Amino acid sequence: MSGFPSTFWWGAATAAYQIEGAVTADGRVPSIWDTFAATPGNVVNGDTGARAADHFHRYASDVALMASLGLTAYRFSVAWPRAANLDFYDRLVDALLAHGIRPVATLYHFDLPQWVEDAGGWTNRDTAYRFAEFAEAVGARLGDRVAMWNTLNEPWCSAFLGYGTGVHAPGRRADLFAAVHHLLLAHGLAVPVLRAASPGSQVSIALNGGTVRAVSAEPGDVDAARRIDGLLNRIFFDPVLRGAYPADVVADTAAVTDWAFVRPGDLGVISAPLDALGVNYYQPDLVGAAASPVEDGSPYPTGGRVVHHDLPGPVTDMGWPIDPTGLRDMLLRVTADYGPIPLYVTENGAAFVDTVVDGRVRDAQRVDYLRSHLAAAHEAMAAGVDLRGYFAWSLLDNFEWALGYGKRFGLVHVDYRTFTRTPKDSAFWYRDVIRRGGL
Ligand code: GBH
């Protein structure tokens, strides 16, 4: 069926705190997720990342496993709390290159050092400058070998969940829009630093792209979709790619923030040209107007004017609807509104209840999910989207943040007592897709 270009990057993605464990090894300092997870009630079952998938000790066999699946790229994150000793990443990158796998490094995937949070975290402007220093240290150490950099992963989660709802670390209610701005400033400051340290590689950012749809064509519902699209997507895409915050978002949020933290020159820094753009896609969001103000528990400060509707049809173990047209539409929209720029799907995947039976995990639902989403990505390419690669989330079952180890996103099953890896049927299916160069 659908062939992909021979240059296409076939990848899988992970994040440091979700897989590494070894939280005190090599001088690693505590992160906000160590603190948050240690506080009862924050993470399901009291789970923490203390052992995770033990990848820190098992990286060599994990890289061999990636090679056996035929991956041509691997997206991992570098833990800022390990800044004092980056030896682990040095070994990881060398192992990847030895197996012909492109290293794609993300510099921030939710794991702020606790000492940075204690100084104000992302609500403090200084954090952006501390991040640029970290980027410089990582660039100096790995810049000769990393193929692509993502400055940040999903700053929406860091700001709206970390400083809004408090479902993510640090779980502190504060001016989440200050956090948005300082995250974006951190990104912008890191771009030239990484370019200087790593002239042969690409510099990018991984944003979550959620396709927001109105429940009807009624003006109130269309306006609800505009608000949520503004707060989920445009609040990040616009400053990074157009150098301005969307005027409607600034107006919509006037009751909760004055945006006084935006200083002259910041948007020029934030909109430093990129080589590529990463989009993480999981599910669409269906929204409409609220008849009377509602408190829906969503992370969006919309004054209760918006209702989030359930979509009909199947859902994953996260309760997220399965709709690959949302990925196609997101890629088309990003290209139309912000392109032309090379795109990568930096995360896409699904959690299901996976069990090992006679050494095998029959995750047919994940195969369907991945197949339909790759087909949707291919459709977007046929319509002119410059998509250069795809990273399945995730290589391994891992610590699913506030939901702990109960949600399994991996292509590879992890037994958390023995740390045994068992490639699921989806891993072998993905290997065959990569071998064929298409579906
Ligand atoms: C990603 O987050 C993370 O990068 C990754 O670490 C994580 O393991 C993976 O996905 C799976 O969760 O429903 O109102 O909250 C994705 C988180 C969830 C963020 C859906 C946007 C939609 C808005 N995304 N969310 S809302």
Side-chain angles (χ1 to χ4, degrees):
M1 197 174 97
S2 337
F4 286 74
S6 60
T7 51
F8 199 75
W9 293 18
W10 295 101
T14 62
Y17 190 71
Q18 293 182 274
I19 63 165
E20 287 177 359
V23 291
T24 56
D26 284 3
R28 180 187 179 277
V29 298
S31 81
I32 56 174
W33 269 98
D34 298 290
T35 307
F36 187 77
T39 309
N42 283 340
V43 178
V44 171
N45 198 37
D47 290 345
T48 78
R51 295 288 306 270
D54 199 36
H55 172 74
F56 186 89
H57 298 117
R58 292 162 200 265
Y59 78 92
S61 50
D62 285 341
V63 171
L65 179 56
M66 294 177 214
S68 77
L69 298 177
L71 299 189
T72 64
Y74 171 58
R75 175 172 177 252
F76 60 96
S77 79
V78 179
W80 188 350
R82 295 195 195 279
N85 184 338
L86 296 169
D87 290 357
F88 168 70
Y89 300 105
D90 200 64
R91 296 193 293 271
L92 173 65
V93 164
D94 281 345
L96 290 166
L97 292 174
H99 284 90
I101 301 169
R102 295 176 183 88
V104 175
T106 300
L107 289 183
Y108 188 71
H109 200 127
F110 308 167
D111 50 353
L112 195 69
Q114 183 63 46
W115 66 267
V116 182
E117 172 59 24
D118 292 343
W122 289 112
T123 60
N124 180 0
R125 183 179 174 96
D126 290 344
T127 298
Y129 298 95
R130 299 291 85 75
F131 178 76
E133 290 161 10
F134 168 58
E136 189 162 4
V138 181
R141 188 70 187 271
L142 307 178
D144 56 335
R145 287 159 291 155
V146 162
M148 174 181 274
W149 301 93
N150 295 150
T151 53
L152 308 178
N153 176 72
E154 297 195 359
W156 184 91
C157 289
S158 302
F160 284 76
L161 303 181
Y163 298 91
T165 60
V167 167
H168 273 200
R172 176 161 74 81
R173 281 172 197 255
D175 186 348
L176 72 87
F177 296 96
V180 166
H181 185 65
H182 299 141
L183 281 153
L184 287 170
L185 186 62
H187 156 78
L189 291 169
V191 171
V193 167
L194 292 169
R195 272 200 209 301
S198 196
S201 74
Q202 302 179 57
V203 181
S204 180
I205 183 171
L207 297 176
N208 43 336
T211 297
V212 182
R213 291 173 175 151
V215 72
S216 86
E218 293 296 325
D221 293 334
V222 171
D223 195 59
R226 175 194 62 74
R227 283 172 185 274
I228 299 301
D229 180 55
L231 290 168
L232 177 63
N233 298 311
R234 290 183 288 112
I235 192 174
F236 296 103
F237 283 93
D238 276 31
V240 168
L241 293 146
R242 294 180 174 169
Y245 283 107
D248 62 321
V249 172
V250 173
D252 285 350
T253 54
V256 290
T257 181
D258 58 9
W259 294 82
F261 40 75
V262 181
R263 297 195 188 162
D266 284 359
L267 283 153
V269 171
I270 291 169
S271 58
L274 298 176
D275 302 301
L277 185 63
V279 174
N280 295 358
Y281 172 84
Y282 290 89
Q283 92 272 45
D285 194 4
L286 187 66
V287 301
S292 51
V294 289
E295 184 44 70
D296 63 355
S298 90
Y300 303 99
T302 59
R305 291 186 183 82
V306 175
V307 188
H308 295 259
H309 293 262
D310 288 337
L311 276 90
V315 296
T316 69
D317 191 36
M318 298 290 277
W320 296 349
I322 301 173
D323 185 351
T325 68
L327 174 58
R328 179 200 62 202
D329 291 353
M330 174 51 52
L331 294 172
L332 289 167
R333 181 267 178 101
V334 170
T335 297
D337 290 358
Y338 303 102
I341 185 166
L343 298 181
Y344 290 80
V345 173
T346 31
E347 286 180 25
N348 176 237
F352 292 107
V353 179
D354 300 315
T355 50
V356 183
V357 178
D358 296 332
R360 186 169 165 194
V361 181
R362 297 170 191 264
D363 60 336
Q365 290 175 291
R366 181 172 292 99
V367 171
D368 282 350
Y369 181 98
L370 295 173
R371 180 195 286 118
S372 62
H373 284 76
L374 273 170
H378 193 271
E379 248 187 86
M381 291 165 77
V385 169
D386 185 8
L387 185 68
R388 304 284 180 95
Y390 175 93
F391 294 81
W393 182 270
S394 180
L395 176 73
L396 302 171
D397 287 341
N398 61 54
F399 177 77
E400 177 51 29
W401 305 115
L403 298 176
Y405 295 102
K407 303 297 177 196
R408 294 181 176 273
F409 274 90
L411 297 169
V412 175
H413 182 278
V414 175
D415 179 321
Y416 292 111
R417 283 167 302 123
T418 61
F419 299 103
T420 301
R421 274 71 165 137
T422 305
K424 303 176 190 178
D425 283 3
S426 58
F428 298 120
W429 171 84
Y430 194 44
R431 176 196 63 193
D432 293 344
V433 169
I434 297 169
R435 268 189 200 155
R436 280 197 299 273
L439 294 170

